[in-house]
Amino acid sequence: MTSTLAFDVEAVRKDFPVLAREVHGKPLVYLDNASSSHKPRQVLEAEREFVEQHYSNVHRGVHTLSQEATDAYEAARSTVARFIGAQHDDVVFTKNVTEAINLVAYALGNPGSPVPLGPGDEIAVTEMEHHSNLVPWQMLAERTGATLRWLGLTDEGRLDLTNLDQIVNERTKLLAFTQVSNILGTENDVPALVARAKQVGALTLVDGAQSVPHQPVDVAALGVDLFAFTGHKMLAPSGVGVLWGRGELLNALPPFMGGGSMIEVVQMTGSTYAKAPERFEAGTPVISQAVALAAACDYLGAVGLDAIKAHEVVLTARLLDGIRELPGVSVLGPDSTEARGSAVSFVVDGVHPHDVGQSLDDLGIAVRVGHHCAAPVCRRYGVPATARASSYLYNTEADIDALLDGIVQVQRFWGAA
Amino acid sequence: MYQEIILDHYRNPHHKGLRDPFDVEVHHVNPTCGDEVTVRVRVLDGIVEDVSYDGQGCSISQAATSVMTDLVIGRKVDDALVAHEAFLELMQSKGKLEPDEDVLEDGIAFAGVSKYPARVKCALLGWMAWKDATAQAVAKQKEAS
Ligand SMILES: Cc1ncc(COP(=O)(O)O)c(C=O)c1O
C-alpha cells in the first residue's frame, strides 16, 4: 500500500526519544495520545534554554532577566494566540483545560457576572462531555439554583440534535460542549450548535482539548464565546492550559481567583481588577510551561495541522477497517472517519477492558482503559469501560497493525475468539 | 500477572451470586475504572456465615473476590480479618513479599499483581467491600445485644 502521508513520519519520530524505547522487551507502540502526548526535543530544548538563560518571575521587575522572562512569556502568549486565530490579550494561561473551564464556571457565578444565574435559568451540556466539562457545570447549577440540561447521544455515537431546540431554549444561559469527544472520537457540529445558542442568546464554551492538538482550529471563525484546551495533549509539558474568550466578554467576567498580578488598585477596603488576560492569572503563572507550549505550537505548525489531520485519518481508517474484520470486537463511536477524531474506543467481547489493556501492555502497546473521565457515555452504551487507542502525528501504520494483531492475541489468551 | 489460579477463579468464580439471608449489603466501586461489586454478608455468633456477591469488573477484581469468599466464609470474623490483613500487606508489597500459603491459600497467586499499582485497587475491591459490610454487620449485632 502506498502511503498518502504528507510529511515524513520517520523524521518526526526521531524528535521523540521515548518512541525508541522498549516496554517489556518490545518496541513501544504508544497509542494513548488522547490522554497525553509525548514531547519532542525541540519543545524540551526551548523550555530548557528559557530556564537556563532567561528565567525569572514575570511582570515584576526591572532587572534584565525579569524583562527577558516577561518578553518570553508574552511572546508565548502571542504564538499560542496566532495558533488558534486569536488576539494576544484574549488568551489566558491556566493550569490545564479543567482549570480553564472551572475559571469560567466560577466567574459566571461570582457577583457582577454578566450572565447572572438563578432558579429558572438553564445551562446546557452534552452527554459526551469529559467530566471536566460536566462537573463544573453541575457545581455551578448547584451553587446558583440553575438547571442543567443535556443533549443525548445516538446509537452511532453522535449528538442527538433532534431536540436541540428544546434543550437549548430561551432560558439557556450557556451551552458548553466538546468539539471532539475524547471517548467516542466524534467531532461535533460546532456551527449548528453555535447557531442555536446565538438564536437564544446563550453563551457558548467549547472544550477543544481533543481538537486543537489534531486539526486546524480558528476560534474566531468558530464564532464561539469561550474556548479551552490543554497543553500536555499537544506536545507541551503538563501544567499549562489555555482559556480563550472574546475580549469584551473576558473583561466583563468577574475574576475567579484573587491575588498578585490580577489587580489594578488594592486598598484595605477593596480592590479593582486588571483587564484580561492578567485579570485571570492570579499569582506567579506557569512561565516555562507557557514558553514550551509556544514551542509545541511552532512544532505542530511546522509539520502542518492539515497534514497531521490527514495522517490521523489514514491511521484511524486503518484501525476502524481492521476492527471491523475482527469478530467479537466492536467500536464505541462513529465507525467511519467522517467528522471524527483519532480516538477509537473498542470493546472485546468476553474480556474486560482492563485485561485487554494489561495484555496489550505485555506486547509493548499502550492504550488507555477505563471510562476515560466520561462515565455517562459508558453508561449510555451499557459498558463498564472501554479500551481506547488514539493516534497522533508520530504513529505509523505499523503501530495500528501491531494493535490489531495484539487484539487477536488478547482474544486468543482470554479464549474469547 | 495472569496466573492460572487467577484465570480459574475468573472463569469459574466461587460463591458468586447474591443470596439470602444476609445482615448487610454494600456496593463498592472503583471510580478510576468503573468496576463495581455488591457484597452481602451474614455474621452469626462471630462467624462469617455467608458472603455472596455480584459485580462486574476485570479478571483481577473478579478472581480476587472469589478467592476472598473462600478465605472468609465459615471463619471466625477475627480470623477472616487476619487473612484480609495478610492480603492487604501482600498487595502493598510491590512484589517484595513471599506470601504465606497457609494464610492466603489461592490468594498467593496475586503476589505478582502487587507489582502493578494500577491493578492493586482491582484486587482489593471485593475485600474492601467485604470488610466494610462485615464491620457494619458486627456493629449492628453489638447494637442489638
Ligand atoms: C475532551 C477533554 N476535556 C478535558 C480534558 C481534561 O484535560 P486536563 O486534565 O488537561 O484538564 C480532557 C483530557 O483528559 C479531554 O479529553
Side-chain angles (χ1 to χ4, degrees):
Chain A
M1 186 177 148
T2 53
S3 172
T4 53
L5 313 183
F7 60 93
D8 184 351
V9 182
E10 285 311 319
V12 163
R13 286 178 69 84
K14 293 208 170 67
D15 294 333
F16 294 80
V18 73
L19 298 179
R21 76 164 272 192
E22 296 193 337
V23 168
H24 304 305
K26 310 265 176 13
L28 169 66
V29 174
Y30 188 79
L31 289 168
D32 191 21
N33 296 288
S35 179
S36 207
S37 73
H38 285 291
K39 333 295 173 197
R41 284 203 175 95
Q42 289 83 340
V43 168
L44 303 174
E45 271 158 25
E47 183 173 9
R48 180 191 169 113
E49 202 260 341
F50 169 76
V51 175
E52 284 186 349
Q53 298 299 328
H54 309 286
Y55 180 78
S56 176
N57 210 331
V58 294
H59 299 149
R60 293 190 188 168
V62 295
H63 64 75
T64 302
L65 287 187
S66 167
Q67 196 51 54
E68 287 179 10
T70 304
D71 289 348
Y73 181 66
E74 292 304 329
R77 195 192 305 280
S78 293
T79 300
V80 171
R82 267 196 310 278
F83 188 72
I84 56 165
Q87 302 292 320
H88 175 273
D89 284 351
D90 299 344
V91 166
V92 176
F93 285 123
T94 62
K95 181 173 75 176
N96 48 35
V97 60
T98 302
E99 186 182 270
I101 294 169
N102 275 275
L103 185 167
V104 174
Y106 276 93
L108 285 175
N110 279 344
S113 167
V115 186
L117 288 146
D121 295 325
E122 295 180 4
I123 302 164
V125 295
T126 84
E127 201 177 5
M128 68 166 74
E129 297 312 310
H130 188 283
H131 296 164
S132 293
N133 198 27
L134 169 60
V135 180
W137 307 119
Q138 292 175 334
M139 292 164 69
L140 176 63
E142 214 172 12
R143 279 197 300 279
T144 59
T147 303
L148 186 77
R149 305 192 62 179
W150 58 89
L151 293 162
L153 306 179
T154 67
D155 290 344
E156 291 71 45
R158 302 221 173 252
L159 276 189
D160 180 359
L161 296 179
T162 49
N163 62 350
L164 174 63
D165 289 355
Q166 279 125 277
I167 300 298
V168 181
N169 59 57
E170 284 66 33
R171 293 181 299 279
T172 309
K173 293 288 185 274
L174 176 101
L175 169 61
F177 61 95
T178 194
Q179 187 169 3
V180 175
S181 161
N182 69 310
I183 176 166
L184 298 169
T186 316
E187 179 172 4
N188 288 318
D189 186 348
V190 180
L193 293 162
V194 168
R196 177 57 188 164
K198 286 215 161 110
Q199 249 173 27
V200 299
L203 290 178
T204 44
L205 178 144
V206 169
D207 177 348
Q210 296 293 344
S211 57
V212 173
H214 301 279
Q215 64 198 61
V217 170
D218 184 323
V219 287
L222 285 178
V224 298
D225 296 302
L226 297 149
F227 190 95
F229 57 101
T230 208
H232 66 90
K233 294 184 202 285
M234 52 184 289
L235 314 185
S238 56
V240 61
V242 170
L243 172 69
W244 169 87
R246 279 191 300 104
E248 326 82 82
L249 176 61
L250 284 183
N251 285 315
L253 276 182
F256 160 44
M257 288 197 279
S261 303
M262 52 75 73
I263 43 79
E264 231 168 39
V265 180
V266 179
Q267 294 177 312
M268 291 314 291
T269 47
S271 302
T272 56
Y273 309 122
K275 290 209 171 325
E278 284 77 23
R279 188 183 192 77
F280 301 106
E281 293 183 357
T284 299
V286 282
I287 306 170
S288 54
Q289 293 91 333
V291 170
L293 175 58
C297 290
D298 287 341
Y299 187 97
L300 291 169
V303 177
L305 269 297
D306 283 314
I308 292 171
K309 175 71 190 173
H311 174 63
E312 289 181 15
V313 166
V314 170
L315 298 185
T316 306
R318 194 176 182 91
L319 179 54
L320 291 173
D321 290 348
I323 289 180
R324 225 174 285 121
E325 301 287 302
L326 297 178
V329 186
S330 46
V331 166
L332 207 71
D335 197 20
S336 83
T337 56
E338 202 191 318
R340 193 191 204 299
S342 70
V344 176
S345 270
F346 59 94
V347 174
V348 181
D349 289 350
V351 192
H352 191 277
H354 261 177
D355 296 320
V356 173
Q358 196 84 54
S359 295
L360 288 174
D361 180 65
D362 286 341
L363 303 170
I365 303 168
V367 300
R368 182 85 193 276
V369 298
H371 53 48
H372 316 288
C373 296
V377 174
C378 289
R379 214 162 290 127
R380 162 67 177 79
Y381 294 106
V383 296
T386 75
R388 179 191 68 191
S390 50
S391 50
Y392 205 4
L393 74 168
Y394 42 62
N395 289 114
T396 62
E397 296 180 342
D399 290 344
I400 301 299
D401 294 346
L403 171 62
L404 289 166
D405 183 57
I407 296 172
V408 172
Q409 292 190 49
V410 167
Q411 286 184 305
R412 220 173 282 140
F413 178 83
W414 290 96
Chain B
M1 168 182 317
Y2 295 121
Q3 303 283 318
E4 237 2 273
I5 296 179
I6 294 180
L7 296 179
D8 283 347
H9 276 273
Y10 175 52
R11 296 195 174 113
N12 302 299
H14 303 176
H15 305 110
K16 190 164 174 164
L18 294 171
R19 286 182 295 279
D20 291 316
F22 65 95
D23 304 317
V24 174
E25 177 181 297
V26 298
H27 182 71
H28 278 216
V29 299
N30 181 344
T32 51
C33 66
D35 281 7
E36 39 191 285
V37 67
T38 302
V39 171
R40 288 180 177 179
V41 169
R42 176 160 173 79
V43 176
L44 208 65
D45 300 329
I47 306 274
V48 181
E49 276 286 311
D50 193 22
V51 178
S52 63
Y53 67 97
D54 199 12
Q56 41 167 262
C58 63
S59 58
I60 301 298
S61 72
Q62 298 302 294
T65 306
S66 168
V67 169
M68 179 269 290
T69 58
D70 284 348
L71 283 168
V72 300
I73 293 175
R75 307 271 293 272
K76 284 196 196 131
V77 170
D78 290 343
D79 293 345
L81 283 171
V82 168
H84 167 264
E85 278 305 317
F87 192 75
L88 189 60
E89 194 189 359
L90 179 63
M91 284 302 101
Q92 292 166 344
S93 71
K94 302 201 163 82
K96 295 201 180 72
L97 203 75
E98 198 52 55
D100 182 348
E101 186 161 6
D102 291 341
V103 179
L104 284 178
E105 300 174 14
D106 282 358
I108 61 169
F110 290 80
V113 176
S114 71
K115 281 184 267 181
Y116 297 81
R119 307 302 297 277
V120 167
K121 274 199 186 138
C122 308
L124 291 174
L125 181 67
W127 280 95
M128 291 302 173
W130 167 78
K131 190 183 176 202
D132 179 18
T134 303
Q136 288 186 40
V138 170
K140 234 181 177 175
Q141 287 174 1
K142 274 209 186 105
E143 240 168 63
S145 65

